[in-house]
Amino acid sequence: MITGSSIRADHYLSFMKRILSSFGLFLASAMVNGQTTFEQVYGGVDDELGFSVQETSDGGYVLSGVTYSQGNGSGDMYLVRTNGTGAVEWTMTYGTINLEIGYAVRQTTDGGFAMCGMFNGFGSDTLTLVRTDANGSTLWVKHYPGSLGRDLGYALQQTSDGGFVVCGSSGPSLDDVYVVRTDGSGNIIWNSTIDLGGGEMALAVQQTSDNGSVVLVQNSGFADPDGELYLLRMDQNGDTLWSHQYVTPGADEARGLTVTADGGFIIAGGNGYPDRDIQLIRTDALGIELWRRVHATAGDELAMDVQQLDDGGFIVAGRKENALTGDIQMHLLRTDANGFMDWERTYQRGVFSEANSLDRTGDGGYVLLGTTSDMFGGSANIEMYLVKTDGAGYSTVGEETTEPFAVQVFPNPAADQVNIGLSSTGITTASLVDPSGRTVWKDSFAGPGTYPLDVGQWTRGAYVLLFRTASGRQ
């Protein structure tokens, strides 16, 4: 099973191989379409990992994870509050000299925050819920030790009555489903430990319209040596209404779960470890599978979070391996209502970048939080990695570089022709992407100069113009 130490050592540090940086330049910028885009990292002298993000009611963001640079010891729960451009407003740590991890955070209805995770201050891992005010000051901390030894809280949601439902695992090896339901003060209403016959971890939870809960479970053990997925449907008293297992050839993993507009569910994960492919499973309200989509590529991919869009499609975040370089990239996938891909994007700062959490934003874009082996400053530290994109999945970041590079696009906007002014030496490749994410034009230019581009043939709208230089800058 996954523990805090194995997440840090095995899941991240082994991917440091080389450096690759990228950033985009927009023909239709955030000033035109009203969507802010940025990329930010948050870290110190040691490592930081990012696990959960949510847009706040004022258009900023709250992030949770673990910091090894600040706090009281081995690693502390880490809460970061930013404004709408990713600039830090405040940070807080919660923990002891032992290891604590904040796996999930949600803004509460009063403007404060609730964070769940793993607390080791008693010498054994304990599922913990931290409740703060809007400034991150602690209102209360509650620990929910199970009866089986170690416990952790992996996901939470504030319920319609102001309480909380938290899911995770319990047991000597964190091998049983553990769900805790509390009131608004963190007092237990009920808790439930469920053994499905193998090693289980409850990785996502959502409240249902009848005030019950649905829990996503990953199972592995003697009965399911490859690893299989379950949905557990619980009523408001914590009693199990039904459970469904979803079996495919090869190992199945999943991290993402959301309730769909029709009351059904969508699960996002991967199939086929160690060379996984992104897998989406769509069910009805009773958990009966409606369809399954596997997005197969040559590298290793895993989906970590999913949300439904207004048009019935889905936005999926996770990680994707570059089959040519072996680098792991943060990945964003957009599908239609039937799970077929509309477009995909990747974001990268070091040899390893991934998204653990996703949220739709009020301006129609997306925000992703994860971890990266950020090396721009010459450091090999692992850091929190926050990416804000527009509705087509594009993000911009401007990093210092030794290669002078500048571009001008004028006039902008234009009806018939724009001019592209380049300062970069060598070959520069340019491509034009329409509002749906489809590439409609691509060409290469040798050396600096001004190059005309006829745009009168395309439908009016906001387009993105991307550039890649001979040295790999984008």
Side-chain angles (χ1 to χ4, degrees):
M1 305 300 293
I2 298 174
T3 66
S5 59
S6 66
I7 287 176
R8 182 188 182 203
D10 300 331
H11 197 45
Y12 292 90
L13 300 181
S14 63
F15 292 99
M16 291 189 178
K17 298 177 184 177
R18 66 180 196 86
I19 302 173
L20 179 66
S21 64
S22 65
F23 66 95
L25 295 167
F26 283 72
L27 175 63
S29 69
M31 296 294 291
V32 175
N33 58 33
Q35 296 176 315
T36 302
T37 63
F38 62 82
E39 298 183 22
Q40 295 279 2
V41 293
Y42 310 92
V45 297
D46 208 333
D47 297 336
E48 277 73 31
L49 311 180
F51 291 112
S52 180
V53 63
Q54 185 183 30
E55 185 181 38
T56 52
S57 56
D58 63 355
Y61 305 98
V62 62
L63 329 174
S64 74
V66 57
T67 175
Y68 296 88
S69 303
Q70 305 178 40
N72 295 314
S74 299
D76 281 356
M77 289 182 169
Y78 194 33
L79 194 62
V80 180
R81 180 73 159 87
T82 82
N83 64 14
T85 61
V88 173
E89 294 187 343
W90 51 257
T91 66
M92 292 288 180
T93 63
Y94 313 85
T96 67
I97 61 171
N98 297 319
L99 177 63
E100 284 82 33
I101 301 175
Y103 282 115
V105 64
R106 287 293 178 266
Q107 187 174 36
T108 51
T109 53
D110 64 356
F113 304 100
M115 177 172 57
C116 74
M118 181 190 76
F119 181 84
N120 194 248
F122 306 128
S124 179
D125 298 334
T126 304
L127 188 154
T128 295
L129 187 62
V130 178
R131 182 72 164 82
T132 82
D133 64 15
N135 298 312
S137 299
T138 302
L139 299 178
W140 47 258
V141 178
K142 298 287 186 177
H143 306 289
Y144 309 100
S147 61
L148 301 176
R150 303 174 61 203
D151 314 283
L152 66 80
Y154 204 84
L156 86 156
Q157 188 177 39
Q158 187 172 29
T159 51
S160 56
D161 62 0
F164 302 94
V165 58
V166 187
C167 74
S169 290
S170 181
S173 300
L174 298 173
D175 51 6
D176 287 325
V177 173
Y178 190 34
V179 184
V180 178
R181 179 74 162 79
T182 80
D183 62 19
S185 299
N187 301 309
I188 291 181
I189 296 176
W190 54 259
N191 61 356
S192 180
T193 304
I194 302 170
D195 183 4
L196 297 175
E200 294 91 38
M201 177 173 280
L203 296 172
V205 62
Q206 294 280 306
Q207 188 179 28
T208 51
S209 58
D210 61 355
N211 295 320
S213 304
V214 60
V215 181
L216 173 64
V217 178
Q218 182 165 322
N219 171 280
S220 63
F222 296 110
D224 304 296
D226 286 334
E228 306 297 349
L229 307 177
Y230 287 80
L231 280 185
L232 298 180
R233 181 71 163 80
M234 309 177 79
D235 65 18
Q236 61 183 347
N237 299 311
D239 295 323
T240 300
L241 298 176
W242 50 255
S243 67
H244 283 289
Q245 182 185 30
Y246 308 94
V247 181
T248 57
D252 289 311
E253 301 175 65
R255 302 289 189 274
L257 171 70
T258 198
V259 180
T260 53
D262 62 358
F265 310 101
I266 183 78
I267 302 169
N271 173 259
Y273 186 86
D275 185 11
R276 295 166 294 193
D277 296 313
I278 288 175
Q279 178 173 252
L280 302 177
I281 300 174
R282 177 77 160 85
T283 82
D284 64 14
L286 297 177
I288 305 300
E289 183 175 328
L290 299 177
W291 50 254
R292 181 181 305 224
R293 304 285 179 257
V294 177
H295 298 270
T297 68
D300 179 53
E301 293 83 36
L302 179 63
M304 302 292 285
D305 203 358
V306 60
Q307 292 189 7
Q308 190 173 33
L309 303 174
D310 294 339
D311 64 359
F314 302 97
I315 192 74
V316 184
R319 51 185 287 182
K320 178 182 177 69
E321 180 182 7
N322 185 315
L324 296 177
T325 66
D327 292 343
I328 304 299
Q329 302 169 317
M330 182 180 279
H331 184 231
L332 187 65
L333 172 70
R334 169 68 151 91
T335 80
D336 64 16
N338 296 309
F340 295 108
M341 184 174 70
D342 287 334
W343 50 256
E344 61 178 347
R345 312 281 182 247
T346 57
Y347 320 93
Q348 185 175 8
R349 289 182 66 96
V351 298
F352 176 84
S353 302
E354 77 168 357
N356 291 313
S357 181
L358 161 76
D359 199 15
R360 299 174 60 191
T361 56
D363 64 359
Y366 312 104
V367 63
L368 301 86
L369 177 71
T371 304
T372 183
S373 56
D374 185 63
M375 298 182 184
F376 280 126
S379 169
N381 284 351
I382 304 297
E383 296 184 301
M384 276 187 168
Y385 185 27
L386 184 68
V387 175
K388 169 65 173 66
T389 82
D390 64 11
Y394 289 105
S395 179
T396 61
V397 59
E399 295 293 341
E400 292 184 2
T401 176
T402 57
E403 176 194 0
F405 180 73
V407 60
Q408 291 181 314
V409 179
F410 59 93
N412 186 16
D416 300 311
Q417 177 181 297
V418 298
N419 298 296
I420 301 171
L422 299 174
S423 67
S424 176
T425 59
I427 302 297
T428 297
T429 300
S431 56
L432 190 70
V433 180
D434 71 12
S436 72
R438 183 172 59 96
T439 299
V440 296
W441 168 84
K442 188 174 183 179
D443 202 352
S444 296
F445 309 101
T450 301
Y451 304 92
L453 171 62
D454 179 13
V455 298
Q457 58 187 303
W458 292 297
T459 304
R460 297 186 61 173
Y463 288 73
V464 177
L465 190 58
L466 300 174
F467 300 88
R468 179 180 294 275
T469 69
S471 63
R473 291 193 61 198
Q474 184 175 356

